[in-house]
Amino acid sequence: MIHVGVNGYGTIGKRVATAVDAQSDMAVVGVSKRSLDHEAAAAVDRGFKMYTPETGAENATGGCDVPVTGNTEALIAESDVVVDARPAGVGAANASTYTSTDTAVVFQGGEESTVAPASFCARANYEETVGQRSTRVVSCNTTGLARLLSPLNEQFGVESVDCTLIRRGGDPTQSDRGPINDILPDPVTVPSHHASDLQTVLPTIEVMSKGVTVPATLMHLHSLTVRLERAPRTDAVRTCLGDERRVELITSGCGQDSCADLRESAHDRGRPRGDVWENCVWSDSLSVDGRSLSLLQAIHQQADVIPENIDAIRALATDTDAETSRQLTNDALGVGLTSSVA
Amino acid sequence: MIHVGVNGYGTIGKRVATAVDAQSDMAVVGVSKRSLDHEAAAAVDRGFKMYTPETGAENATGGCDVPVTGNTEALIAESDVVVDARPAGVGAANASTYTSTDTAVVFQGGEESTVAPASFCARANYEETVGQRSTRVVSCNTTGLARLLSPLNEQFGVESVDCTLIRRGGDPTQSDRGPINDILPDPVTVPSHHASDLQTVLPTIEVMSKGVTVPATLMHLHSLTVRLERAPRTDAVRTCLGDERRVELITSGCGQDSCADLRESAHDRGRPRGDVWENCVWSDSLSVDGRSLSLLQAIHQQADVIPENIDAIRALATDTDAETSRQLTNDALGVGLTSSVA
């Protein structure tokens, strides 16, 4: 049994805790949160022990009366592996704490790649994290790209990829973020950071990435053109991607023609928080011209890295191989949008 | 056991089916849907039998292979009570079908009040539906107003109410609805239809209602000033509303300062589809000046009428009294935002 602590209980942390709780080979030691708000109250009501930084919790008073078990240092000491889901940049500041207690740690993609000896995507480079004491799960967009390109690279050889990432402005509760009525080059510089980030897990692929942010909160959308070494047949690409449980081919005739429809499907199937863990590739968008493959895929920014965090925990704490871990994670969560009815 | 059919499986129908399924004294006979799309596939995967109109199902081909049990007429004939959740106006067209099979029916607020001998809000006028063969659950906004005003009327006497309804533009999947960057008088005429609709369940209260639609999909928000017969103390109002399980007093210090925060709480607590069944009244917004009470409340347009539909089924099919039915419904669903952890 792997004893897992979750340090940071926001968008990613709360989902990692729920997912760890669903694994038969893992147990949640507790979660750490600064603000004892409605999210902390719900966590305790779910049965998670609540820890807070030694500096004390903000909003400890007010309407929410949340029982606290101990401080974050205690949580780290009691855990075999800690998933650090604190805000971007804060994780690196915690690094020494993990080292001092010799606790293995999974950082998130908001940190610089130098925060850990390896960056991680379960389908691309699981093995590079085995035997390490820390790793970094790449960001939601990079995870979505790596998951798609890894099987294509194995079967057809990927020479280069050109992707435009149409990015959501913020998550649903981030009401204070923009844009509210604009389309922003984000960043204005080209390539965006996604190109170099993707190369931390798939170093051999040449990448051009451009980011544009729009007024949306549901999902990101990727417009991709992939240059392959061997010209594929379109149905061979469909078969290649269809074999991936973390890639969902969205077929026509089912009315899933928008990001909102994809989230609605997840809600209807009883997914926790209506999460879509899979890359959603619109099957009708697959277009092959010689060695060029073009497609559109949607990525749920709050959810696609969650299975990756679970696999990263196993890579750090056990000798489970990549395929076995991915299958354990997929089966425990119900990955595969058409196979996950509550 | 009450055998319930659900005719129409959209925003309301799918939620009613899930809620009926959670009641120990009710069973879902099946659901009827025109389009055999991803929502129909999820319904069948959940274990609901699928029926379609005799005119045949749209999109019966395509990616979704959904097994059909029979036609809608068969579903109606096999049901003790049918909840008609077809689009506004279509329900009335079905009325003769229900009469011919002597099946009791619950219509939705999109229909004219003349569609049934009674309109229904479980807290306001449950008794008027007892002994009838059909009733009409008033719309989400009217339900939210009636739930709030009924206890206030009993305790302090409500003379009149002036409400501005800041309405969401559409539900999350209605990507083709506006407004996208505007604030619309909706309708331009004053009072809006909500005033007369509220009087179908609370006829003694004088109402002024004005509607304004904004670019949002999460919830409606009501700005209310209620003229009472007896000047209350603010804490007496809090106690009065706090005693209502379908009214949630949102206290400060818990970080629930937006509609998105309220939906996030529902997601964190494992609510199906992240639904908020309760009126959410911001406690800090309660303001009393003599006999005038002002407040702000949020209403989840997809969810607040669901417990009312369950109570309406009992009112039509049994001799259960209002308070008993409300408690059975509340307990089965876990109504009360702080008492519904999955």
Side-chain angles (χ1 to χ4, degrees):
Chain A
M1 188 64 67
I2 312 169
H3 298 88
V4 181
V6 179
N7 185 11
Y9 197 76
T11 298
I12 297 302
K14 66 170 69 172
R15 289 172 165 81
V16 168
T18 303
V20 167
D21 203 35
Q23 309 301 312
S24 57
D25 59 339
M26 301 183 188
V28 177
V29 177
V31 304
S32 176
K33 193 174 193 312
R34 288 190 68 80
S35 303
L36 299 182
D37 57 7
H38 66 96
E39 294 173 295
V44 171
D45 289 343
R46 264 178 186 270
F48 296 140
K49 287 183 184 167
M50 182 59 55
Y51 294 74
T52 57
E54 225 160 5
T55 53
E58 299 156 353
N59 311 326
T61 59
C64 277
D65 181 18
V66 180
V68 174
T69 299
N71 64 34
T72 308
E73 288 67 18
L75 173 64
I76 294 170
E78 294 164 30
S79 304
D80 302 320
V81 181
V82 165
V83 174
D84 187 301
R86 300 291 311 280
V90 179
N94 296 338
S96 62
T97 317
Y98 302 118
T99 314
S100 66
T101 56
D102 192 34
T103 305
V105 54
V106 178
F107 293 105
Q108 303 304 310
E111 307 301 326
E112 299 293 335
S113 59
T114 53
V115 74
S119 287
F120 183 90
C121 172
R123 185 63 178 80
N125 69 335
Y126 180 102
E127 294 74 12
E128 290 176 31
T129 289
V130 175
Q132 304 288 359
R133 296 301 293 161
S134 68
T135 192
R136 164 184 166 268
V137 171
V138 291
S139 70
C140 54
N141 280 313
T142 306
T143 295
L145 291 170
R147 263 189 202 158
L148 182 85
L149 295 171
S150 294
L152 292 174
N153 191 38
E154 289 170 9
Q155 190 156 341
F156 308 106
V158 173
E159 202 171 83
S160 65
V161 56
D162 188 316
C163 56
T164 300
L165 302 99
I166 296 94
R167 309 168 69 179
R168 63 91 178 97
D171 293 336
T173 59
Q174 297 174 312
S175 308
D176 58 346
R177 285 177 60 154
I180 65 166
N181 189 40
D182 202 353
I183 305 169
L184 309 177
D186 183 14
V188 170
T189 53
V190 169
S192 65
H193 71 278
H194 306 93
S196 56
D197 201 39
L198 181 62
Q199 290 180 321
T200 64
V201 291
L202 289 174
T204 66
I205 296 177
E206 185 186 314
V207 190
M208 166 53 69
S209 67
K210 293 151 280 180
V212 178
T213 297
V214 298
T217 65
L218 298 177
M219 300 177 90
H220 298 295
L221 195 147
H222 295 174
S223 173
L224 287 171
T225 297
V226 185
R227 181 75 172 170
L228 301 166
E229 291 165 358
R230 295 175 293 282
R233 293 214 323 277
T234 307
D235 59 358
V237 173
R238 286 204 174 89
T239 304
C240 173
L241 297 178
D243 289 342
E244 299 290 315
R245 270 181 74 181
R246 294 182 192 177
V247 177
E248 191 77 15
L249 279 184
I250 305 303
T251 54
S252 61
C254 281
Q256 291 167 297
D257 305 324
S258 73
C259 294
D261 290 325
L262 297 171
R263 296 296 309 279
E264 185 79 358
S265 289
H267 281 302
D268 286 349
R269 289 175 178 286
R271 288 280 184 96
R273 301 179 172 90
D275 283 350
V276 179
W277 296 303
E278 306 84 355
N279 291 31
C280 295
V281 176
W282 277 283
S283 185
D284 289 353
S285 77
L286 288 171
S287 165
V288 173
D289 177 9
R291 297 198 284 124
S292 286
L293 164 68
S294 292
L295 62 85
L296 299 171
Q297 70 172 359
I299 300 295
H300 183 193
Q301 74 280 359
Q302 301 174 291
D304 76 324
V305 299
I306 304 307
E308 308 301 318
N309 271 270
I310 299 301
D311 291 327
I313 292 167
R314 279 201 199 87
L316 287 172
T318 73
D319 57 3
T320 312
D321 64 77
E323 189 173 350
T324 304
S325 177
R326 290 199 304 267
Q327 185 167 343
L328 285 170
T329 302
N330 292 344
D331 291 346
L333 295 179
V335 171
L337 198 48
T338 57
S339 67
S340 54
V341 179
Chain B
M1 188 64 65
I2 313 170
H3 298 89
V4 181
V6 179
N7 185 10
Y9 197 76
T11 299
I12 298 300
K14 67 172 68 172
R15 289 171 165 83
V16 168
T18 303
V20 167
D21 203 35
Q23 311 299 313
S24 56
D25 58 341
M26 301 183 188
V28 177
V29 177
V31 304
S32 176
K33 193 174 191 314
R34 288 190 69 80
S35 304
L36 299 183
D37 58 6
H38 67 96
E39 294 172 296
V44 170
D45 289 344
R46 265 179 186 269
F48 296 141
K49 288 184 185 167
M50 182 59 56
Y51 295 73
T52 56
E54 227 161 1
T55 52
E58 298 156 355
N59 310 328
T61 60
C64 277
D65 181 19
V66 180
V68 174
T69 300
N71 64 33
T72 308
E73 287 66 19
L75 173 63
I76 294 170
E78 293 164 30
S79 303
D80 303 320
V81 181
V82 165
V83 174
D84 186 300
R86 301 292 310 282
V90 179
N94 297 337
S96 61
T97 317
Y98 302 117
T99 314
S100 66
T101 55
D102 191 36
T103 304
V105 54
V106 179
F107 292 105
Q108 303 304 310
E111 307 301 326
E112 298 293 334
S113 60
T114 52
V115 74
S119 287
F120 183 90
C121 172
R123 185 62 176 81
N125 69 333
Y126 180 103
E127 295 72 13
E128 291 176 31
T129 288
V130 175
Q132 303 288 359
R133 297 301 294 160
S134 69
T135 191
R136 164 184 166 267
V137 171
V138 291
S139 71
C140 54
N141 279 311
T142 306
T143 295
L145 291 169
R147 266 189 200 158
L148 182 84
L149 295 171
S150 294
L152 292 174
N153 192 38
E154 288 170 9
Q155 191 157 341
F156 308 106
V158 173
E159 202 171 80
S160 66
V161 56
D162 187 317
C163 56
T164 301
L165 301 102
I166 297 92
R167 309 168 70 178
R168 62 90 178 99
D171 293 336
T173 59
Q174 296 173 314
S175 307
D176 57 346
R177 283 176 62 153
I180 65 167
N181 190 39
D182 202 353
I183 305 169
L184 309 178
D186 184 14
V188 170
T189 54
V190 170
S192 66
H193 71 278
H194 306 93
S196 56
D197 200 39
L198 181 64
Q199 289 181 321
T200 64
V201 291
L202 288 174
T204 65
I205 296 177
E206 185 185 316
V207 190
M208 166 52 70
S209 68
K210 293 152 281 181
V212 178
T213 299
V214 298
T217 65
L218 299 177
M219 300 179 90
H220 297 295
L221 195 147
H222 295 174
S223 174
L224 287 171
T225 296
V226 185
R227 181 75 172 169
L228 300 167
E229 290 166 358
R230 295 175 292 282
R233 295 213 322 279
T234 306
D235 59 359
V237 173
R238 287 205 174 88
T239 304
C240 172
L241 297 179
D243 290 341
E244 299 289 315
R245 270 180 76 180
R246 295 183 191 176
V247 177
E248 191 76 16
L249 279 182
I250 305 302
T251 55
S252 61
C254 280
Q256 292 166 297
D257 303 325
S258 73
C259 293
D261 291 326
L262 296 171
R263 295 296 307 279
E264 186 79 358
S265 289
H267 282 302
D268 286 349
R269 289 176 179 284
R271 288 279 185 97
R273 302 179 172 90
D275 284 351
V276 180
W277 297 303
E278 307 83 356
N279 292 30
C280 294
V281 176
W282 277 284
S283 185
D284 289 354
S285 75
L286 288 171
S287 165
V288 173
D289 177 10
R291 297 198 284 126
S292 286
L293 164 69
S294 291
L295 62 86
L296 299 170
Q297 71 172 359
I299 300 295
H300 183 193
Q301 75 280 359
Q302 302 174 289
D304 76 323
V305 298
I306 304 307
E308 308 301 318
N309 271 271
I310 299 301
D311 291 326
I313 292 167
R314 280 203 198 85
L316 288 172
T318 72
D319 57 2
T320 312
D321 64 75
E323 189 174 350
T324 304
S325 177
R326 291 199 305 266
Q327 185 167 344
L328 285 170
T329 303
N330 292 344
D331 291 347
L333 294 179
V335 170
L337 199 48
T338 56
S339 66
S340 54
V341 179

